Amino acid sequence: MRLRVEFTTEPFDLDEAPPHAVVARDVVTGAALDAVDVGPFGNTAEGDADQVLGAVNALLRETLQAGATRVSLQVNVIADAGRGEGETT
C-alpha cells in the first residue's frame, strides 16, 4: 500500500523557518519517501505505508519536541501504478 502524507507545523514564521519546521523538513527528506515537497505553507510526501507511518511517528515526536504547538496532518491511501485507489492485492 502507498500513502501520501500532507502536514503543517505551527507556529508559522514567514521571516525564517522555526526550529520545528527545520526538523519536519529533515525528517521527511531523510526518510525513504518518494515525491517529497516541502514548502512554507504545507508539505507532502509519498511512499510505502511502512516508511510513511514511520516518518509520521518521527515527525510528530521530533517537531513537538522542537517547539511545535500544533501539527496538522492528513494521510491518504494512493493508488499504486496499475491499480485503482484503495485497491489491494
Side-chain angles (χ1 to χ4, degrees):
M1 175 187 332
R2 289 185 52 80
L3 300 176
R4 175 183 299 125
V5 61
E6 302 174 45
F7 67 92
T8 58
T9 61
E10 297 179 38
F12 295 113
D13 184 342
L14 295 179
D15 293 327
E16 123 180 28
H20 59 81
V22 173
V23 166
R25 181 189 66 215
D26 292 346
V27 167
V28 295
T29 58
L33 301 174
D34 307 324
V36 174
D37 183 21
V38 177
F41 300 109
N43 310 283
T44 62
E46 297 178 8
D48 176 75
D50 288 336
Q51 273 73 28
V52 170
L53 295 174
V56 166
N57 183 349
L59 176 78
L60 291 171
R61 291 177 185 277
E62 294 180 32
T63 58
L64 293 170
Q65 187 174 26
T69 57
R70 179 180 185 147
V71 179
S72 301
L73 64 87
Q74 179 173 313
V75 178
N76 295 301
V77 175
I78 58 174
D80 286 332
R83 294 198 317 224
E85 187 166 329
E87 284 184 33
T88 60
T89 56

